[in-house]
């Protein structure tokens, strides 16, 4: 699939995984902090215009980030991360899914063929006071239909993550 570059960000689809690289004008220590502390994560994570409420945040292998997202028109969706690997200021690996208010994994509210679980690997690298993050995410335990649906959502996911990472960049400017 073609490569798209916007806002110091490159987005591609490689081997059925969404791959996003973004260079942020902030030091590694701060970028890692806003990914790993609930009070920061809730200020920028999620689609533009959505309000994030954190219900559980336990950053450790096996720990959970359980949250809901409220749309501007008041609709609520729940999500969760289940952390698998954390290497301070180097890498975070988690499974992301939609959930109910109790933290049970559920189907996406927008499609019954969106994969139940997405494995994400986020890496961090600092150079000259700027931090480059690379997010690789793709379905696990997915049917062929779910996999094809995920790949078909490339443009939508690219747009969504561009907005999310724009919010991250803006938030970093605020807290620097």
């Amino acid at each position: 699939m073609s490569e798209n570059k916007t806002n110091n960000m490159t987005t591609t689809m490689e081997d059925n995984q969404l791959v996003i690289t973004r260079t942020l004008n902030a030091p590694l220590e701060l970028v890692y902090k806003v990914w790993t502390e609930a009070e920061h994560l809730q200020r920028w994570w999620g689609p533009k215009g959505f309000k994030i409420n954190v219900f559980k945040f336990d950053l450790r292998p096996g720990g959970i980030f359980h949250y809901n997202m409220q749309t501007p028109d008041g609709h609520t969706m729940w999500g969760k991360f289940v952390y698998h690997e954390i290497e301070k200021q180097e890498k975070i690996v988690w499974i992301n899914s939609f959930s109910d208010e109790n933290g049970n994994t559920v189907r996406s509210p927008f499609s019954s063929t969106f994969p139940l679980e997405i494995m994400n690997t986020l890496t961090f690298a600092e150079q000259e006071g700027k931090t480059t993050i690379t997010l690789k995410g793709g379905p696990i335990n997915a049917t062929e239909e779910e996999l094809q649906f995920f790949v078909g959502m490339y443009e939508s996911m690219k747009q969504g993550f561009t907005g999310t990472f724009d919010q991250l960049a803006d938030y970093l400017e605020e807290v620097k």
Side-chain angles (χ1 to χ4, degrees):
M1 205 167 269
S2 65
E3 181 178 288
N4 290 288
K5 288 187 173 192
T6 57
N7 300 343
N8 298 321
M9 189 162 116
T10 302
T11 309
T12 60
M13 185 67 73
E14 300 171 13
D15 298 322
N16 299 321
Q17 285 195 325
L18 182 67
V19 180
I20 302 167
T21 301
R22 175 86 180 238
T23 300
L24 300 158
N25 188 23
L28 173 60
E29 185 176 342
L30 179 60
V31 174
Y32 185 79
K33 182 177 183 165
V34 303
W35 272 95
T36 59
E37 294 180 6
E39 61 269 21
H40 294 295
L41 199 52
Q42 73 181 7
R43 299 275 310 276
W44 64 267
W45 177 255
K48 263 192 174 167
F50 283 48
K51 181 177 187 239
I52 303 297
N53 298 296
V54 177
F55 287 86
K56 183 173 185 176
F57 189 81
D58 184 11
L59 183 74
R60 64 175 176 81
I64 293 174
F65 166 38
H66 184 223
Y67 60 96
N68 74 21
M69 301 178 281
Q70 295 179 334
T71 64
D73 65 2
H75 180 72
T76 300
M77 291 181 284
W78 290 84
K80 70 177 178 179
F81 294 8
V82 177
Y83 294 104
H84 283 255
E85 186 180 342
I86 299 162
E87 293 178 32
K88 188 173 182 181
Q89 296 184 10
E90 290 183 27
K91 177 168 65 169
I92 304 171
V93 179
W94 75 94
I95 293 177
N96 196 186
S97 62
F98 287 94
S99 74
D100 63 18
E101 61 275 1
N102 298 315
N104 300 306
T105 300
V106 299
R107 286 277 169 201
S108 151
F110 57 84
S111 172
S112 62
T113 52
F114 188 82
L116 272 175
E117 298 178 314
I118 306 296
M119 177 69 81
N120 293 286
T121 300
L122 177 71
T123 57
F124 303 82
E126 184 176 30
Q127 186 172 8
E128 298 176 7
K130 294 185 178 190
T131 303
T132 299
I133 57 173
T134 301
L135 177 66
K136 293 182 180 183
I140 58 171
N141 304 316
T143 66
E144 185 59 32
E145 182 182 23
E146 291 168 338
L147 189 59
Q148 292 310 311
F149 187 87
F150 178 83
V151 170
M153 287 200 56
Y154 171 74
E155 287 299 325
S156 176
M157 291 185 295
K158 179 178 74 107
Q159 181 180 356
F161 274 106
T162 297
T164 296
F165 286 176
D166 285 351
Q167 290 176 153
L168 170 59
D170 292 345
Y171 183 67
L172 287 164
E173 289 300 317
E174 250 181 70
V175 297
K176 274 203 301 195

